[in-house]
Amino acid sequence: MGSSPIIGFSIHLGTVAPTDTGSIPPWVSTGHAIPVLVEPKTSGEPYWSGWALAGDSRATAVASHDGVTVLLAGELYHRAELGSVVGETADGLSDAELLLACWLRYGPSGLRLCNGRFAAVVAENDSVVVATDHAGTIPLYLRTRPDGVDVATEAKVLAEGAGDSFPAPGTEPAPGLTGVRRVQAGTAVTLVPGSTVAEAARTWRPPHHRLIVSPDEAVNRVADVLDKAVRTRLGGPHDPVTAVLSGGIDSSSVVALASGGGRPVRTISLGTDIGDEFAAARVVAEHLGTRHHEFRCSSEELVRQLPWAVAAAEIVDAEVLEYLLPLVVLYRMVPNEGTRIVTGYGADIPLGGMHRTTERLHSLDEVIAFDMGTFDGLNELSPVLGSMAGHWTTHPFWDRDVLDLLTALEPGLKRRDGRDKWVLREAMRELLPTATVTRPKLGIHEGSGTSSAWSQLLRRVGVAESDLASVKTAMAAVFHRRTVREQEPPGEVSFDDVLDEVMSEQNLAVTR
């Protein structure tokens, strides 16, 4: 388990808070009145950590100049380009310093330049700006108070506050928590601590237009933009890289590009007793020469780790939790804390991979537009999914430039010749085995059996088919209440106890 702290910012107006840096304004403190580390009652291991990795110099940074202070959680992925527009050499600057340079030149509009995986707080004069990256891949929460505002990258650290936050523009209520609000993806919210003065500016929106380009040009552009997104996420040339590999086109594409130039890559796969994709993953691993590792757990053991998935994602959507659960379990099984893990997660949304049975192109484009407009708040890419186990995760398919291109491509390039994700498959044809390029889509939750394991367990204790959905939804809500609102360590939350509670509330009998 990781030992990195939960990171939170508590911002006060007119008070002096202790600080180690001296560069932070006196009304900004880090970690004030926010739990830094929570120890389970029965174990010496910390049960959760924030977005930052201990020892990762780019995970958390502070920069201050000319009355402006930037606190950055995460990392920027186009450092050289940012350096060129602010007249600085990026190699000599931290990501926070680069963001500060953009701010000093462009003001809040500088956030529109930033392509990264980050949440940021910018303090200037009597105001504070809280901002997420384009896709909100590091969630950011706030609670306003009469004398200031608390900001944190995990909602649970704000759960014990009192009162309701005023509905600042660019925010919405966090699920299950009174008075905690989430900053929307691609949004910068300006607040005056201690008041109800606030305004919001969008820094990114999913493109609504569609590009008309030739198939060959589309294939080349996808290959180029995805290659750059992968390379900028790998760290230094000698840094170890670990990649999730299912053997499908999404994860295999990322592994193929990460392996370019002879960089050593370790690949990892998860399976259960009712499903795995090990054979397909091995084909790719052998083709690319990766060091491949397979992890297996029973389907029942996997489902019983649902409290960990809820505690990490801080959501109550049972269907999304089924998608995230195998990743959470896999991250917890990977040894060596501090691992940088790159994934192929997220390609389905802009490419319509979840809608492979949608036949008509106009219908495919409509569901893609809907999914791109409703992803916010699902926390599918939250770094806490990995940082609970001490790892830093990153997802090239949700790079801003990749999203812009994939979303904007017209649907006939996504569904072509009867094949889903046609443009991605063609872009990777020269790098991957033919069997991988033509392999039908299968989600990680499907390949590992997660989509059926929870239902099977519930059926086994007597839950009727007609009650499965309501029981799952109610269980997710109880997991959320206990691990997020009440901050109970997920290792101490009994799946069976929660099931019994839900069944009793719904007047259903449990048979064991």
Side-chain angles (χ1 to χ4, degrees), residues 277 319 322-324 326 442-452:
E277 299 177 88
E319 184 177 3
E322 287 187 332
Y323 301 156
L324 301 181
L442 195 65
I444 185 172
H445 62 294
E446 298 168 306
S448 62
T450 309
S451 56
S452 59

Side-chain angles (χ1 to χ4, degrees), residues 186-208:
T187 301
V189 180
T190 301
L191 303 162
V192 176
S195 77
T196 57
V197 175
E199 61 182 34
R202 290 302 300 262
T203 58
W204 183 81
R205 292 181 188 272
H208 289 179

Side-chain angles (χ1 to χ4, degrees), residues 118 124 138 155 163 210 218 249 290 368 378 405 511:
F118 67 89
E124 182 176 23
I138 296 183
R210 296 296 179 257
I249 188 61
T290 69
I368 290 174
L378 299 180
L405 177 61
T511 60

Side-chain angles (χ1 to χ4, degrees), residues 49 77 113 131 136 179 187 199 246 258 367 422 442 499:
S49 63
Y77 293 129
L113 299 172
T187 301
E199 61 182 34
S246 68
V367 293
W422 178 87
L442 195 65
L499 176 59

Side-chain angles (χ1 to χ4, degrees), residues 407-422:
T407 305
L409 289 177
E410 56 96 357
L413 295 168
K414 302 171 186 181
R415 174 75 49 74
R416 190 177 181 88
D417 300 332
R419 295 167 55 202
D420 65 291
K421 300 183 182 178
W422 178 87

Side-chain angles (χ1 to χ4, degrees), residues 143-407:
R143 180 191 285 279
T144 56
R145 295 173 286 99
D147 64 338
V149 57
D150 297 321
V151 186
T153 53
E154 292 185 50
K156 61 177 67 69
V157 303
L158 304 178
E160 293 183 345
D164 292 335
S165 290
F166 79 94
T171 70
E172 57 188 37
L177 297 174
T178 301
V180 179
R181 300 188 67 85
R182 182 184 59 82
V183 179
Q184 294 172 333
T187 301
V189 180
T190 301
L191 303 162
V192 176
S195 77
T196 57
V197 175
E199 61 182 34
R202 290 302 300 262
T203 58
W204 183 81
R205 292 181 188 272
H208 289 179
H209 68 285
R210 296 296 179 257
L211 298 174
I212 301 176
V213 296
S214 71
D216 287 345
E217 181 182 351
V219 167
N220 291 334
R221 289 177 64 175
V222 168
D224 289 344
V225 73
L226 185 58
D227 178 57
K228 181 178 179 181
V230 171
R231 285 188 287 106
T232 56
R233 283 162 169 75
L234 299 182
H238 304 295
D239 291 347
V241 175
T242 296
V244 176
L245 177 62
S246 68
I249 188 61
D250 303 342
S251 63
S252 298
S253 298
V254 171
V255 174
L257 295 170
S259 302
R263 177 192 292 268
V265 176
R266 174 179 66 162
T267 47
I268 54 176
S269 299
L270 175 72
T272 70
D273 53 283
I274 62 175
D276 66 60
E277 299 177 88
F278 289 162
R282 288 175 199 149
V283 169
V284 177
E286 292 172 3
H287 181 81
L288 298 174
T290 69
R291 294 180 294 111
H292 190 60
H293 301 267
E294 297 171 351
F295 298 89
R296 187 184 292 278
C297 68
S298 72
S299 56
E300 182 168 332
E301 177 188 355
L302 183 143
V303 173
R304 289 182 181 279
Q305 294 191 53
L306 271 165
W308 292 90
V310 176
E314 301 185 322
I315 60 173
V316 294
D317 188 310
E319 184 177 3
V320 175
L321 287 169
E322 287 187 332
Y323 301 156
L324 301 181
L325 180 58
L327 285 174
V328 171
V329 172
L330 178 59
Y331 296 151
R332 297 189 67 222
M333 297 179 76
V334 173
N336 303 325
E337 293 180 8
T339 300
R340 174 175 285 265
I341 301 178
V342 63
T343 84
Y345 196 87
D348 279 337
I349 295 182
L351 288 173
M354 296 180 295
H355 307 287
R356 49 193 182 273
T357 60
T358 303
E359 296 295 334
R360 301 177 67 183
L361 289 181
H362 88 270
S363 298
L364 177 64
D365 197 56
E366 286 300 313
V367 293
I368 290 174
F370 177 82
D371 289 342
M372 286 300 302
T374 57
F375 71 84
D376 192 17
L378 299 180
N379 290 1
E380 293 183 79
L381 304 180
S382 171
V384 186
L385 301 175
S387 69
M388 292 182 84
H391 310 303
W392 176 260
T393 55
T394 183
H395 315 283
F397 278 106
W398 274 67
D399 178 271
R400 189 182 64 187
D401 294 342
V402 173
L403 272 188
D404 281 342
L405 177 61
L406 294 185
T407 305

